[in-house]
Amino acid sequence: MGQSGGSLREGHVARRTGQVADGVRLHLLSDKVFHADPTFLSGCQLAGELIRSARLEPPPRRVFFLAHVAYELALDAVLLESEPDLAGDLYVKLSAGKESALAFLGERAPETLSDHFDVFIEHGYLRRYTRNATLAHALQRVAGRVGPELLSESDDADKALAEVFAQLRVQIAPDVPELLQRVGAPWYNLLT
């Protein structure tokens, strides 16, 4: 949302109404439940161990943060692999909600946001989330936005992180259906 501090909080939508504000509240509530789940926490721990064992040079900083992001990316990949239509469904919903989102942001929306929205939808990045190299690149981009010193960017790092994702996906895949049923099902499509 572009708020200072980089984190979306309930206060950002406390006085707001409408579908976007409802969606933000739903996201915050589902994250609160999801991030406290023991399977999520052990998955983040596993991701951290795999990142540390990748022997990246220089060693990554804030591995807890990187592991959290890596686990969520791997979860997305496992889910998109088992439900390939989800990416297309998301882009349809994003396209339909574009005007509401821009209205929600109002004057705070950068002039170019509408164009970025269209490019994001057209590009269809999530359709490639089943590729480990794409996940490695996504993790590096997030790390670079948070602080370029968190994670090195090199061909060796790309390969090492792609291998981290290959191992992580295989190890978490058996737990994903139960995790999503337990903590994801109550939230999925609640506002559709």
Side-chain angles (χ1 to χ4, degrees):
M1 288 281 173
Q3 299 289 335
S4 62
S7 295
L8 189 58
R9 305 261 187 251
E10 177 64 32
H12 295 137
V13 294
R15 296 185 193 128
R16 301 283 190 130
T17 60
Q19 289 182 323
V20 174
D22 290 345
V24 169
R25 281 190 276 280
L26 179 63
H27 175 86
L28 292 171
L29 182 58
S30 63
D31 266 4
K32 185 176 182 179
V33 172
F34 194 60
H35 293 162
D37 186 85
T39 302
F40 183 88
L41 296 172
S42 66
C44 287
Q45 182 176 355
L46 172 62
E49 292 166 5
L50 291 170
I51 290 169
R52 282 185 194 90
S53 72
R55 301 190 190 280
L56 297 164
E57 290 297 331
R61 297 182 56 219
R62 295 181 62 190
V63 173
F64 176 82
F65 169 76
L66 296 172
H68 179 112
V69 174
Y71 183 69
E72 288 197 359
L73 290 169
L75 280 173
D76 289 346
V78 170
L79 183 58
L80 288 165
E81 199 166 53
S82 66
E83 301 284 340
D85 293 338
L86 283 178
D89 292 347
L90 173 68
Y91 290 120
V92 167
K93 288 181 182 184
L94 284 173
S95 184
K98 174 185 167 184
E99 295 307 317
S100 294
L102 292 172
F104 175 81
L105 292 171
E107 294 176 6
R108 294 177 308 188
E111 282 183 30
T112 58
L113 183 60
S114 180
D115 292 338
H116 287 297
F117 214 99
D118 295 337
V119 169
F120 177 78
I121 292 167
E122 182 181 317
H123 192 254
Y125 190 66
L126 287 180
R127 291 185 176 97
R128 293 183 299 284
Y129 256 41
T130 55
R131 300 178 194 159
N132 295 321
T134 301
L135 299 173
H137 180 71
L139 181 61
Q140 287 176 316
R141 290 206 44 179
V142 169
R145 283 188 211 114
V146 172
E149 73 285 350
L150 292 188
L151 192 58
S152 63
E153 290 190 43
S154 67
D155 289 344
D156 289 341
D158 289 346
K159 291 175 189 168
L161 289 171
E163 181 56 32
V164 164
F165 280 106
Q167 293 177 42
L168 183 58
R169 288 171 61 188
V170 167
Q171 292 185 49
I172 69 169
D175 297 327
V176 170
E178 182 184 329
L179 172 66
L180 293 176
Q181 184 61 40
R182 190 172 57 251
V183 298
W187 318 109
Y188 185 70
N189 282 334
L190 189 61
L191 293 176
T192 59

